[in-house]
């Protein structure tokens, strides 16, 4: 077995080992064997992660011959499993040449089981259930076929809402394979294209190219590796510390020795030097004939010394896990660059069913030496490519086979002498050497010449940065299992500890602070709160005066997390920052802020996030209840409260025909702060309220009425509301628009 060099065992680690061995309850852990250099602060132990389950067989659609769903094209612009803003792409996108109105067909015999309309997400979508239980879905439609559209409009007109999510009775609408069901559009998420999904009986998305649709796509082009990222992990806790991006060079096409198949693309990324464990991520894409579009890779693997240490394939995933894209990809690089680097290792909390097999969770924690790492990418048509990376692991090679106890005893006594005295050091060193020799085998990897340790847990979140943790005032510190109680109002922590049912609850009593002469922090004082959070425990982080409260649901975070929340006030409104920040969550958080008396009840305030690259403010929400304003938070990221008293701008209406040939009234509206709230925006013609649709790309409100034909002699009244509640009401008399 090999160990790192002597310098890797710091004074601090020796003391940890010493006191650990003196405890009868403690066995040696990896953290006790290896610690980073002196001066490191104590690190939380890795969370014990549940063993992952692996799939071995691709999912095929048994004997179902599907019709290509549109006459627009047979060219894909996106494939299954691609990176999206907040989730994995659950289907394929078909090119419609920037136009709307191409026909959309039923891919197989089926009944309409669901209809959706609205300005977000899938937009206008129709779902068919087929005889084998599978479900097909076509989305972003301009409109449905005439009978289905009339049915949807009757429901929308009755409710006066353009958005609808309806489950018709079974066999209300049935279609044969090839029947017209709608027309392509750009509703929901534009630009114009057709989004198609196939789902199993449990409504879980499957890769559509596992079906007969694959035969309609021409592809003999191999995937390509654009860049690799080496993600450096902490040597003992495996927290992500930093990353470096490598750009490769194409090399001559050759023969793949391992599998005996021709590799159509090969890229050499050179040599990288590491001094501890690393995870590898790749920016890669697939291609197809006749298009410049870039797709997700279907299958990817990592090979070290002809041993496959990681293998994944994008066959399917449940919708309940589509947000785990942030764990499957390297989310720090995604936030920094916008590029979806695919991880070749798995962090805690990631239980996507993509991973076929792996060793050490895909983490490379090499013994000192030089290793060739091969990354292989394959598309669903069998085209493949690979990249080569040489990893040079630094450190002194130490052989323990001959005299492990003597070496460890001598080495440890050198460090202990300086702390406990020479006499004690001799005996302690001898004891430690013997004890370590007995325990090291329990952490030895199955291939000790390559890997130092087995890796069972890789934290999903990084630790707070050292520089920002060092502050000139104490933290209010709340343990992970504690729901913070209202009486914890002051800033000085840990002054009274009460044991309750075997758990230490840090409780700070007002009377204790007053008795000691401590005073509450002045209003609007900057404050930092450190919290240690665990999955499965709901928590509320708050400032000492509780003017800012962050509610974290029990299932919100993917893994154990230590986070610092800082609140700074300006003009009575807070700016809230987090360290670490930009962290994905599985369930929305809830932010509550009590506004100062200087903010009147009729003044509008919204919660805004910042785009990680452009810095542009992004509206999150603004639910007002008295002096409180609330908003969901889709990630643990910096937010700021901003006053918004500007009402939306309304332009002169226009009259035109839609793609169905029906006359509609369109009104351009704009709000550059909190945006348009389509559910609270309406158009009336001569006092008659119709269906008011909203196109977020064109920023248009569109008036539609099944039985009313608009003309310019009618009065138009436009009511528009923005996200924080500012409202514009504009009337245009007949003949004046």
């Amino acid at each position: 077995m090999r160990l790192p060099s002597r310098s890797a065992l710091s004074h601090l680690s020796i003391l940890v080992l010493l006191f650990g061995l003196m405890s009868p309850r403690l066995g040696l852990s990896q953290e006790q064997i290896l610690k980073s250099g002196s001066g490191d602060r104590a690190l939380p132990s890795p969370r014990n992660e549940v063993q992952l389950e692996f799939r071995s067989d691709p999912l095929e659609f048994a004997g179902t011959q599907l019709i290509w769903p549109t006459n627009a094209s047979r060219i894909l612009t996106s494939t299954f499993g691609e990176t999206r803003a907040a989730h994995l792409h659950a289907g394929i996108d078909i090119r419609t040449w920037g136009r709307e109105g191409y026909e959309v067909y039923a891919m197989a015999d089926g009944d309409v089981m669901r209809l959706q309309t609205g300005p977000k997400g899938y937009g206008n979508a129709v779902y068919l259930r087929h005889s084998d239980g599978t479900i097909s879905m076509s989305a972003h439609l301009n409109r449905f076929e005439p009978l289905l559209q009339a049915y949807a409009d009757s429901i929308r007109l009755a409710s006066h809402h353009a958005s609808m999510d309806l489950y018709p009775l079974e066999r209300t609408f049935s279609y044969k394979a090839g029947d017209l069901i709608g027309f392509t559009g750009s509703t929901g998420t534009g630009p114009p294209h057709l989004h198609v999904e196939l789902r199993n009986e449990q409504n879980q998305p499957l890769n559509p190219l596992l079906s007969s649709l694959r035969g309609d796509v021409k592809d003999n082009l191999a995937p390509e590796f654009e860049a690799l990222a080496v993600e450096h992990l902490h040597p003992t806790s495996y927290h992500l510390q930093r990353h470096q991006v490598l750009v490769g060079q194409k090399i001559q096409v050759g023969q793949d020795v391992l599998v005996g198949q021709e590799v159509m693309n090969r890229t050499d990324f050179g040599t990288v030097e590491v001094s501890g464990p690393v995870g590898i991520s790749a920016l890669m894409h697939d291609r197809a004939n006749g298009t410049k579009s870039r797709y997700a890779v279907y299958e990817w693997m990592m090979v070290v010394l002809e041993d496959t240490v990681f293998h994944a394939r994008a066959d399917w995933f449940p919708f309940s896990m589509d947000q785990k894209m942030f764990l499957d990809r390297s989310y720090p690089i995604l936030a920094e660059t916008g590029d979806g680097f695919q991880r070749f290792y798995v962090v805690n909390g990631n239980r996507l069913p993509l991973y076929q097999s792996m060793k050490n969770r895909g983490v490379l924690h090499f013994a000192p030496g030089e290793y060739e790492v091969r990354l292989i990418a394959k598309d669903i048509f069998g085209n493949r490519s690979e990249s080569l990376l040489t990893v040079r692991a630094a450190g002194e090679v130490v052989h323990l086979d001959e005299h492990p106890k003597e070496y460890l005893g001598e080495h440890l006594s050198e460090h202990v002498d300086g702390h406990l005295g020479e006499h004690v050091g001799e005996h302690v060193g001898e004891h430690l050497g013997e004890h370590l020799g007995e325990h090291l085998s329990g952490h030895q990897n199955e291939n000790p010449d390559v890997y130092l340790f087995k890796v069972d847990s890789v934290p999903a979140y990084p630790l707070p940065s050292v520089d920002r943790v060092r502050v000139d005032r104490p933290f209010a510190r709340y343990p992970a299992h504690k729901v913070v109680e209202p009486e914890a109002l002051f800033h000085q922590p840990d002054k009274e500890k009460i044991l309750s049912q075997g758990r230490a609850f840090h409780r700070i009593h007002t009377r204790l602070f007053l008795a000691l002469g401590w005073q509450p922090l002045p209003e609007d004082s900057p404050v930092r709160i450190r919290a240690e959070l665990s999955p499965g425990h709901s928590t509320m982080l708050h400032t000492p005066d509780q003017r800012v409260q962050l509610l974290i649901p029990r299932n919100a975070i993917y893994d154990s997390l230590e986070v610092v929340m800082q609140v700074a006030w300006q003009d009575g409104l807070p700016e809230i920052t987090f360290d670490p920040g930009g962290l994905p969550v599985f369930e929305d958080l809830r932010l509550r802020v009590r506004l100062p008396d200087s903010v009147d009840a009729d003044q509008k305030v919204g919660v805004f996030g910042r785009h990680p690259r452009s810095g542009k403010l992004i509206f999150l929400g603004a639910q007002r209840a008295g002096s409180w304003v609330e908003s969901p938070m889709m990630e643990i990221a910096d937010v700021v409260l901003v006053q918004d008293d500007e009402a939306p701008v309304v332009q002169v209406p226009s009259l035109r025909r839609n793609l169905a040939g029906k006359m509609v009234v369109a009104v351009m509206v704009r709000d550059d702060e909190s945006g348009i709230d389509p559910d609270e925006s309406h158009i009336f013609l001569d006092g008659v309220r119709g269906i008011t649709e909203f196109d977020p790309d064109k920023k248009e409100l569109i008036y539609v009425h099944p039985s009313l034909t608009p003309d310019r002699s009618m009065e138009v009244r436009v009511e528009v509301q923005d996200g924080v509640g500012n409202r514009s009401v504009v009337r245009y008399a007949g003949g004046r628009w």
Side-chain angles (χ1 to χ4, degrees):
M1 181 177 180
R2 299 173 178 178
L3 277 184
S5 63
R6 299 185 179 190
S7 60
L9 291 167
S10 66
H11 293 192
L12 177 62
S13 63
I14 300 302
L15 293 177
V16 172
L17 285 168
L18 172 63
F19 292 110
L21 292 173
M22 288 180 176
S23 171
R25 296 169 45 194
L26 242 109
L28 277 176
S29 68
Q30 174 187 343
E31 292 90 313
Q32 292 169 314
I33 297 171
L34 290 178
K35 276 284 185 181
S36 57
S38 59
D40 282 2
R41 64 192 183 89
L43 298 174
S45 300
R47 177 172 169 265
N48 292 326
E49 179 69 4
V50 177
Q51 181 66 34
L52 296 169
E53 297 180 358
F54 304 116
R55 295 196 54 82
S56 57
D57 298 319
L59 301 172
E60 294 283 355
F61 291 84
T64 302
Q65 186 67 29
L66 300 180
I67 300 294
W68 188 256
T70 180
N71 65 348
S73 76
R74 279 177 164 75
I75 297 176
L76 302 182
T77 57
S78 296
T79 56
F80 186 80
E82 290 186 9
T83 304
R84 288 297 183 263
H87 58 84
L88 290 168
H89 193 235
I92 57 175
D93 291 343
I94 300 174
R95 173 163 292 164
T96 63
W97 311 104
R99 296 171 51 193
E100 303 186 25
Y102 290 100
E103 294 180 346
V104 178
Y105 311 120
M107 290 182 281
D109 297 356
D111 302 327
V112 175
M113 61 162 291
R114 185 180 182 186
L115 277 179
Q116 284 179 308
T117 64
K120 300 178 181 179
Y122 289 124
N124 299 339
V126 57
Y127 301 70
L128 298 182
R129 186 181 293 279
H130 308 291
S131 58
D132 61 357
T134 60
I135 300 166
S136 63
M137 188 267 276
S138 302
H140 308 307
L141 304 180
N142 175 273
R143 64 192 187 282
F144 308 122
E145 60 88 8
L147 288 178
L148 198 57
Q149 185 66 47
Y151 173 74
D153 285 345
S154 67
I155 303 297
R156 297 196 298 167
L157 186 62
S159 65
H160 294 296
H161 283 287
S163 297
M164 175 193 73
D165 192 354
L166 183 67
Y167 291 79
L169 294 176
E170 187 177 357
R171 297 187 180 178
T172 301
F173 296 94
S174 297
Y175 297 93
K176 294 292 185 180
D179 283 352
L180 179 70
I181 59 174
F183 300 88
T184 65
S186 60
T187 55
T189 304
H193 68 284
L194 176 63
H195 176 81
V196 172
E197 291 183 12
L198 295 179
R199 305 180 184 182
N200 61 18
E201 295 181 66
Q202 290 73 43
N203 203 35
Q204 297 166 330
L206 312 172
N207 192 329
L209 294 183
L210 291 171
S211 73
S212 62
L213 295 179
R214 179 172 52 200
D216 291 279
V217 179
K218 295 181 179 180
D219 181 1
N220 61 7
L221 302 178
E224 293 185 356
F225 287 91
E226 298 180 56
L228 296 185
V230 179
E231 300 188 78
H232 296 265
L233 311 177
H234 190 277
T236 60
S237 71
Y238 295 103
H239 286 86
L240 177 62
Q241 294 184 307
R242 62 184 179 89
H243 67 265
Q244 63 182 115
V245 176
L246 308 175
V247 179
Q249 182 176 1
K250 294 284 182 65
I251 58 178
Q252 185 176 0
V253 172
Q255 195 75 12
D256 188 317
V257 179
L258 181 64
V259 295
Q261 297 181 1
E262 184 181 358
V263 177
M264 301 179 67
N265 259 318
R266 182 170 287 167
T267 307
D268 187 358
F269 285 90
T271 300
V272 62
E273 295 190 358
V274 303
S275 58
V278 296
I280 304 298
S281 300
L283 181 62
M284 53 188 181
H285 67 266
D286 189 23
R287 301 172 298 157
N289 301 79
T291 177
K292 295 182 179 179
S293 297
R294 298 183 173 190
Y295 310 137
V297 169
Y298 168 63
E299 192 169 8
W300 56 104
M301 64 182 70
M302 179 167 60
V303 179
V304 179
L305 300 179
E306 299 189 4
D307 185 19
T308 301
V309 297
F310 183 88
H311 180 202
R313 190 169 60 215
D315 289 329
W316 73 286
F317 58 83
F319 276 113
S320 62
M321 294 187 183
D322 67 346
Q323 289 179 287
K324 293 182 185 288
M325 175 205 74
F326 290 110
L327 305 183
D328 183 61
R329 273 58 163 175
S330 177
Y331 68 84
I333 304 179
L334 180 63
E336 179 182 311
T337 66
D339 294 324
F341 277 73
Q342 174 69 60
R343 278 174 166 163
F344 282 68
Y345 69 102
V346 175
V347 300
N348 296 346
N350 182 4
R351 294 184 177 86
L352 282 165
L354 308 178
Y355 314 111
Q356 310 299 306
S357 64
M358 73 179 70
K359 295 182 179 180
N360 287 339
R361 301 181 74 88
V363 170
L364 304 179
H365 195 174
F366 290 136
E370 195 168 281
Y371 306 89
E372 182 184 79
V373 178
R374 300 169 59 230
L375 304 180
I376 300 170
K378 181 180 175 182
D379 67 19
I380 205 164
F381 298 92
N383 305 305
R384 54 188 288 124
S385 63
E386 74 171 34
S387 67
L388 306 177
L389 175 67
T390 300
V391 177
R392 185 176 296 147
E396 173 188 348
V397 179
V398 179
H399 296 277
L400 296 178
D401 299 333
E402 300 177 359
H403 305 287
K405 296 179 183 178
E406 289 80 351
Y407 168 77
L408 290 172
E410 177 186 356
H411 179 57
L412 294 175
S413 62
E414 293 176 5
H415 292 276
V416 176
D417 283 348
H419 292 280
L420 301 178
E422 181 178 355
H423 180 69
V424 177
E426 293 176 0
H427 294 282
V428 170
E430 181 180 351
H431 173 68
L432 287 175
E434 182 176 354
H435 197 80
L436 277 171
E438 297 172 359
H439 284 270
L440 283 174
S441 59
H443 296 274
Q444 183 176 352
N445 200 286
E446 60 189 32
N447 190 351
D449 292 331
V450 178
Y451 303 108
L452 281 176
F453 295 103
K454 291 182 179 179
V455 181
D456 298 316
S457 175
V458 183
Y461 299 119
L463 291 166
S465 61
V466 175
D467 291 339
R468 292 175 66 178
V469 170
R470 294 174 180 170
V471 295
D472 55 2
R473 58 173 62 87
F475 284 93
R477 187 182 184 93
Y478 306 119
H481 56 263
K482 183 178 186 301
V483 177
V484 179
E485 298 174 311
E487 58 192 346
L489 300 179
F490 294 88
H491 202 34
Q492 293 84 350
D494 301 347
K495 292 301 179 182
E496 181 181 1
K497 297 182 180 180
I498 300 177
L499 293 178
S500 175
Q501 298 179 352
R503 291 179 173 179
F505 282 76
H506 294 223
R507 184 174 298 171
I508 307 171
H509 291 282
T510 301
R511 61 180 180 274
L512 175 62
F513 278 94
L514 296 179
L516 294 175
W518 293 340
Q519 298 298 323
L521 291 174
E523 189 172 295
D524 294 353
S525 294
V527 62
R528 288 184 174 116
I529 299 98
R530 177 188 295 166
E532 297 172 2
L533 311 176
S534 292
H537 298 281
S538 59
T539 306
M540 183 178 73
L541 304 182
H542 60 75
T543 54
D545 56 8
Q546 296 213 41
R547 289 176 60 189
V548 176
Q549 303 174 353
L550 181 62
L551 284 69
I552 304 175
R554 59 178 300 175
N555 296 319
I557 59 175
Y558 292 108
D559 193 14
S560 299
L561 168 65
E562 182 175 349
V563 65
V564 176
M565 181 176 78
Q566 175 173 299
V567 181
W569 297 83
Q570 185 173 2
D571 299 328
L573 297 177
E575 180 168 359
I576 306 166
T577 58
F578 295 89
D579 179 19
L583 305 180
V585 294
F586 190 60
E587 185 177 334
D588 286 356
L589 315 180
R590 193 76 184 171
L591 179 68
R592 302 180 71 240
V593 177
R594 181 165 58 84
L595 302 175
D597 295 337
S598 58
V599 178
D600 296 335
D602 59 348
Q603 289 181 305
K604 305 298 191 296
V605 174
V607 180
F608 293 79
R610 291 189 185 277
H611 192 279
R613 295 181 296 280
S614 68
K616 179 182 177 181
L617 291 180
I618 301 172
F619 178 68
L620 301 180
Q623 293 184 1
R624 188 76 177 268
S627 61
W628 289 88
V629 62
E630 298 187 15
S631 171
M633 289 179 58
M634 284 68 78
E635 59 180 341
I636 300 177
D638 299 351
V639 296
V640 60
L641 269 68
V642 177
Q643 188 169 323
D644 175 12
D645 293 321
E646 295 291 330
V649 176
V650 180
Q651 297 187 9
V652 177
S654 63
L655 189 65
R656 68 167 186 250
R657 292 188 185 274
N658 63 15
L659 291 180
K662 185 171 181 58
M663 298 299 294
V664 298
V665 174
V667 181
M668 297 281 293
V669 293
R670 190 183 77 250
D671 189 280
D672 296 330
E673 285 77 34
S674 56
I676 302 298
D677 183 350
D679 293 331
E680 299 298 331
S681 300
H682 312 286
I683 298 177
F684 298 80
L685 286 186
D686 281 348
V688 178
R689 181 174 170 180
I691 303 167
T692 304
E693 300 176 339
F694 180 61
D695 187 330
D697 294 324
K698 298 177 181 177
K699 294 182 171 52
E700 279 187 335
L701 293 176
I702 303 169
Y703 178 93
V704 179
H705 197 292
S707 58
L708 181 64
T709 301
D711 61 60
R712 297 187 186 278
S713 66
M714 296 178 174
E715 180 190 74
V716 179
R717 186 169 89 249
V718 184
E719 299 178 358
V720 189
Q721 182 170 303
D722 67 11
V724 300
N726 296 305
R727 202 165 173 80
S728 294
V729 179
V730 182
R731 289 180 175 84
Y732 297 92
R736 294 182 177 260
W737 57 278

